[in-house]
mmCIF file of all heavy atoms in Angstrom:
data_model
loop_
_atom_site.group_PDB
_atom_site.id
_atom_site.type_symbol
_atom_site.label_atom_id
_atom_site.label_comp_id
_atom_site.label_asym_id
_atom_site.label_seq_id
_atom_site.Cartn_x
_atom_site.Cartn_y
_atom_site.Cartn_z
ATOM 1 N N GLN A 277 -11.541 -0.413 -63.975
ATOM 2 C CA GLN A 277 -11.596 -1.668 -64.710
ATOM 3 C C GLN A 277 -10.775 -2.682 -64.006
ATOM 4 O O GLN A 277 -9.827 -2.520 -63.448
ATOM 5 C CB GLN A 277 -11.025 -1.453 -66.182
ATOM 6 C CG GLN A 277 -12.063 -0.691 -67.024
ATOM 7 C CD GLN A 277 -11.487 -0.716 -68.477
ATOM 8 O OE1 GLN A 277 -10.435 -0.933 -68.876
ATOM 9 N NE2 GLN A 277 -12.472 -0.240 -69.394
ATOM 10 N N TRP A 278 -11.292 -3.958 -64.100
ATOM 11 C CA TRP A 278 -10.544 -5.161 -63.674
ATOM 12 C C TRP A 278 -9.805 -5.697 -64.880
ATOM 13 O O TRP A 278 -10.364 -5.833 -65.967
ATOM 14 C CB TRP A 278 -11.554 -6.191 -63.271
ATOM 15 C CG TRP A 278 -12.151 -5.943 -61.856
ATOM 16 C CD1 TRP A 278 -11.477 -6.405 -60.706
ATOM 17 C CD2 TRP A 278 -13.275 -5.220 -61.524
ATOM 18 N NE1 TRP A 278 -12.371 -5.932 -59.611
ATOM 19 C CE2 TRP A 278 -13.441 -5.348 -60.172
ATOM 20 C CE3 TRP A 278 -14.225 -4.650 -62.333
ATOM 21 C CZ2 TRP A 278 -14.484 -4.679 -59.409
ATOM 22 C CZ3 TRP A 278 -15.297 -4.067 -61.715
ATOM 23 C CH2 TRP A 278 -15.422 -4.110 -60.203
ATOM 24 N N PRO A 279 -8.513 -6.004 -64.691
ATOM 25 C CA PRO A 279 -7.825 -6.608 -65.839
ATOM 26 C C PRO A 279 -8.392 -7.962 -66.144
ATOM 27 O O PRO A 279 -9.249 -8.567 -65.384
ATOM 28 C CB PRO A 279 -6.411 -6.764 -65.279
ATOM 29 C CG PRO A 279 -6.310 -5.923 -64.073
ATOM 30 C CD PRO A 279 -7.683 -5.729 -63.490
ATOM 31 N N SER A 280 -8.047 -8.533 -67.306
ATOM 32 C CA SER A 280 -8.589 -9.884 -67.779
ATOM 33 C C SER A 280 -8.427 -10.879 -66.693
ATOM 34 O O SER A 280 -7.302 -10.965 -66.122
ATOM 35 C CB SER A 280 -7.864 -10.253 -69.022
ATOM 36 O OG SER A 280 -8.323 -11.537 -69.472
ATOM 37 N N GLY A 281 -9.452 -11.636 -66.374
ATOM 38 C CA GLY A 281 -9.427 -12.575 -65.315
ATOM 39 C C GLY A 281 -10.099 -12.084 -64.086
ATOM 40 O O GLY A 281 -10.637 -12.888 -63.300
ATOM 41 N N GLY A 282 -10.253 -10.772 -63.766
ATOM 42 C CA GLY A 282 -11.034 -10.189 -62.716
ATOM 43 C C GLY A 282 -10.578 -10.661 -61.394
ATOM 44 O O GLY A 282 -11.416 -10.839 -60.527
ATOM 45 N N GLN A 283 -9.342 -10.909 -61.175
ATOM 46 C CA GLN A 283 -8.834 -11.525 -59.851
ATOM 47 C C GLN A 283 -8.596 -10.467 -58.854
ATOM 48 O O GLN A 283 -8.637 -10.794 -57.673
ATOM 49 C CB GLN A 283 -7.539 -12.385 -60.134
ATOM 50 C CG GLN A 283 -7.688 -13.458 -61.075
ATOM 51 C CD GLN A 283 -8.775 -14.466 -60.717
ATOM 52 O OE1 GLN A 283 -8.879 -14.831 -59.483
ATOM 53 N NE2 GLN A 283 -9.640 -14.923 -61.644
ATOM 54 N N LEU A 284 -8.355 -9.289 -59.107
ATOM 55 C CA LEU A 284 -8.173 -8.229 -58.236
ATOM 56 C C LEU A 284 -9.379 -7.895 -57.454
ATOM 57 O O LEU A 284 -10.526 -7.873 -57.955
ATOM 58 C CB LEU A 284 -7.639 -6.991 -58.955
ATOM 59 C CG LEU A 284 -6.300 -7.035 -59.669
ATOM 60 C CD1 LEU A 284 -5.937 -5.714 -60.251
ATOM 61 C CD2 LEU A 284 -5.210 -7.409 -58.691
ATOM 62 N N LEU A 285 -9.195 -7.540 -56.150
ATOM 63 C CA LEU A 285 -10.379 -7.252 -55.324
ATOM 64 C C LEU A 285 -10.911 -5.849 -55.618
ATOM 65 O O LEU A 285 -12.065 -5.547 -55.550
ATOM 66 C CB LEU A 285 -9.960 -7.308 -53.901
ATOM 67 C CG LEU A 285 -9.659 -8.680 -53.284
ATOM 68 C CD1 LEU A 285 -9.125 -8.551 -51.850
ATOM 69 C CD2 LEU A 285 -10.684 -9.651 -53.511
ATOM 70 N N GLU A 286 -9.928 -4.987 -56.129
ATOM 71 C CA GLU A 286 -10.308 -3.606 -56.480
ATOM 72 C C GLU A 286 -9.987 -3.258 -57.882
ATOM 73 O O GLU A 286 -8.925 -3.632 -58.313
ATOM 74 C CB GLU A 286 -9.672 -2.541 -55.509
ATOM 75 C CG GLU A 286 -10.106 -2.688 -54.052
ATOM 76 C CD GLU A 286 -11.568 -2.297 -53.821
ATOM 77 O OE1 GLU A 286 -12.168 -1.550 -54.634
ATOM 78 O OE2 GLU A 286 -12.169 -2.880 -52.859
ATOM 79 N N PRO A 287 -10.873 -2.703 -58.636
ATOM 80 C CA PRO A 287 -10.485 -2.248 -59.939
ATOM 81 C C PRO A 287 -9.554 -1.173 -59.996
ATOM 82 O O PRO A 287 -9.261 -0.526 -59.079
ATOM 83 C CB PRO A 287 -11.775 -1.867 -60.535
ATOM 84 C CG PRO A 287 -12.623 -1.324 -59.401
ATOM 85 C CD PRO A 287 -12.204 -2.238 -58.250
ATOM 86 N N ILE A 288 -8.905 -1.031 -61.167
ATOM 87 C CA ILE A 288 -7.827 0.027 -61.446
ATOM 88 C C ILE A 288 -8.519 1.210 -62.085
ATOM 89 O O ILE A 288 -9.234 1.111 -63.212
ATOM 90 C CB ILE A 288 -6.776 -0.503 -62.223
ATOM 91 C CG1 ILE A 288 -6.025 -1.724 -61.663
ATOM 92 C CG2 ILE A 288 -5.765 0.543 -62.621
ATOM 93 C CD1 ILE A 288 -5.070 -2.443 -62.513
ATOM 94 N N PRO A 289 -8.460 2.497 -61.539
ATOM 95 C CA PRO A 289 -9.026 3.621 -62.187
ATOM 96 C C PRO A 289 -8.473 3.903 -63.536
ATOM 97 O O PRO A 289 -7.316 3.831 -63.736
ATOM 98 C CB PRO A 289 -8.650 4.773 -61.248
ATOM 99 C CG PRO A 289 -8.357 4.080 -59.964
ATOM 100 C CD PRO A 289 -7.739 2.767 -60.266
ATOM 101 N N VAL A 290 -9.362 4.129 -64.534
ATOM 102 C CA VAL A 290 -8.892 4.400 -65.875
ATOM 103 C C VAL A 290 -9.528 5.738 -66.441
ATOM 104 O O VAL A 290 -8.928 6.380 -67.368
ATOM 105 C CB VAL A 290 -9.296 3.282 -66.904
ATOM 106 C CG1 VAL A 290 -8.455 1.937 -66.479
ATOM 107 C CG2 VAL A 290 -10.711 3.038 -66.808
ATOM 108 N N ILE A 291 -10.560 6.270 -65.771
ATOM 109 C CA ILE A 291 -11.205 7.494 -66.245
ATOM 110 C C ILE A 291 -11.585 8.351 -65.101
ATOM 111 O O ILE A 291 -12.329 7.643 -64.108
ATOM 112 C CB ILE A 291 -12.425 7.335 -67.238
ATOM 113 C CG1 ILE A 291 -11.997 6.678 -68.483
ATOM 114 C CG2 ILE A 291 -13.130 8.524 -67.504
ATOM 115 C CD1 ILE A 291 -13.147 6.295 -69.381
ATOM 116 N N SER A 292 -11.349 9.544 -65.042
ATOM 117 C CA SER A 292 -11.957 10.430 -64.099
ATOM 118 C C SER A 292 -12.307 11.779 -64.753
ATOM 119 O O SER A 292 -11.391 12.431 -65.235
ATOM 120 C CB SER A 292 -10.977 10.750 -62.858
ATOM 121 O OG SER A 292 -11.492 11.476 -61.887
ATOM 122 N N GLN A 293 -13.524 12.194 -64.870
ATOM 123 C CA GLN A 293 -13.994 13.147 -65.643
ATOM 124 C C GLN A 293 -14.999 13.984 -64.924
ATOM 125 O O GLN A 293 -15.961 13.477 -64.278
ATOM 126 C CB GLN A 293 -14.485 12.596 -66.942
ATOM 127 C CG GLN A 293 -14.698 13.586 -68.142
ATOM 128 C CD GLN A 293 -15.162 12.805 -69.235
ATOM 129 O OE1 GLN A 293 -16.166 12.305 -69.412
ATOM 130 N NE2 GLN A 293 -14.319 12.862 -70.320
ATOM 131 N N THR A 294 -14.958 15.249 -65.121
ATOM 132 C CA THR A 294 -16.036 16.183 -64.558
ATOM 133 C C THR A 294 -16.693 16.989 -65.616
ATOM 134 O O THR A 294 -15.995 17.209 -66.718
ATOM 135 C CB THR A 294 -15.520 17.181 -63.509
ATOM 136 O OG1 THR A 294 -14.535 17.984 -64.081
ATOM 137 C CG2 THR A 294 -14.930 16.325 -62.273
ATOM 138 N N HIS A 295 -17.919 17.419 -65.517
ATOM 139 C CA HIS A 295 -18.434 18.293 -66.525
ATOM 140 C C HIS A 295 -19.338 19.326 -65.783
ATOM 141 O O HIS A 295 -19.956 19.141 -64.705
ATOM 142 C CB HIS A 295 -19.368 17.461 -67.513
ATOM 143 C CG HIS A 295 -20.534 16.892 -66.887
ATOM 144 N ND1 HIS A 295 -20.407 15.598 -66.298
ATOM 145 C CD2 HIS A 295 -21.783 17.208 -66.615
ATOM 146 C CE1 HIS A 295 -21.572 15.205 -65.811
ATOM 147 N NE2 HIS A 295 -22.420 16.168 -65.972
ATOM 148 N N SER A 296 -19.349 20.560 -66.321
ATOM 149 C CA SER A 296 -20.121 21.703 -65.837
ATOM 150 C C SER A 296 -20.364 22.629 -67.031
ATOM 151 O O SER A 296 -19.415 23.213 -67.491
ATOM 152 C CB SER A 296 -19.333 22.365 -64.765
ATOM 153 O OG SER A 296 -20.043 23.541 -64.240
ATOM 154 N N TYR A 297 -21.640 22.821 -67.353
ATOM 155 C CA TYR A 297 -21.874 23.621 -68.510
ATOM 156 C C TYR A 297 -23.340 24.016 -68.485
ATOM 157 O O TYR A 297 -24.295 23.272 -68.046
ATOM 158 C CB TYR A 297 -21.605 22.772 -69.748
ATOM 159 C CG TYR A 297 -22.362 21.515 -69.977
ATOM 160 C CD1 TYR A 297 -23.487 21.438 -70.685
ATOM 161 C CD2 TYR A 297 -21.960 20.335 -69.364
ATOM 162 C CE1 TYR A 297 -24.260 20.278 -70.863
ATOM 163 C CE2 TYR A 297 -22.660 19.173 -69.552
ATOM 164 C CZ TYR A 297 -23.844 19.058 -70.285
ATOM 165 O OH TYR A 297 -24.418 17.915 -70.392
ATOM 166 N N PRO A 298 -23.731 25.075 -69.303
ATOM 167 C CA PRO A 298 -25.058 25.540 -69.491
ATOM 168 C C PRO A 298 -25.703 24.949 -70.755
ATOM 169 O O PRO A 298 -24.842 24.538 -71.646
ATOM 170 C CB PRO A 298 -25.034 26.978 -69.586
ATOM 171 C CG PRO A 298 -23.713 27.201 -70.200
ATOM 172 C CD PRO A 298 -22.832 26.105 -69.732
ATOM 173 N N THR A 299 -26.981 24.682 -70.770
ATOM 174 C CA THR A 299 -27.702 24.335 -72.060
ATOM 175 C C THR A 299 -28.829 25.258 -72.330
ATOM 176 O O THR A 299 -29.533 25.551 -71.459
ATOM 177 C CB THR A 299 -28.201 22.907 -71.996
ATOM 178 O OG1 THR A 299 -27.092 22.065 -71.710
ATOM 179 C CG2 THR A 299 -28.948 22.525 -73.213
ATOM 180 N N GLU A 300 -28.817 25.856 -73.491
ATOM 181 C CA GLU A 300 -29.951 26.722 -73.858
ATOM 182 C C GLU A 300 -30.861 26.195 -74.942
ATOM 183 O O GLU A 300 -30.265 25.495 -75.850
ATOM 184 C CB GLU A 300 -29.402 28.120 -74.352
ATOM 185 C CG GLU A 300 -28.502 28.925 -73.383
ATOM 186 C CD GLU A 300 -27.098 28.664 -73.555
ATOM 187 O OE1 GLU A 300 -26.729 28.212 -74.635
ATOM 188 O OE2 GLU A 300 -26.339 28.845 -72.660
ATOM 189 N N ARG A 301 -32.156 26.328 -74.727
ATOM 190 C CA ARG A 301 -33.021 25.810 -75.714
ATOM 191 C C ARG A 301 -34.080 26.852 -76.175
ATOM 192 O O ARG A 301 -34.445 27.614 -75.329
ATOM 193 C CB ARG A 301 -33.800 24.579 -75.184
ATOM 194 C CG ARG A 301 -33.018 23.261 -75.095
ATOM 195 C CD ARG A 301 -33.953 22.192 -74.430
ATOM 196 N NE ARG A 301 -33.316 20.908 -74.496
ATOM 197 C CZ ARG A 301 -32.377 20.553 -73.656
ATOM 198 N NH1 ARG A 301 -32.033 21.318 -72.626
ATOM 199 N NH2 ARG A 301 -31.758 19.366 -73.843
#
Side-chain angles (χ1 to χ4, degrees):
Q277 290 186 344
W278 283 270
S280 179
Q283 301 300 320
L284 295 181
L285 296 178
E286 295 294 333
I288 300 174
V290 293
I291 296 177
S292 183
Q293 194 176 63
T294 61
H295 64 273
S296 178
Y297 60 96
T299 301
E300 299 97 19
R301 285 181 171 82

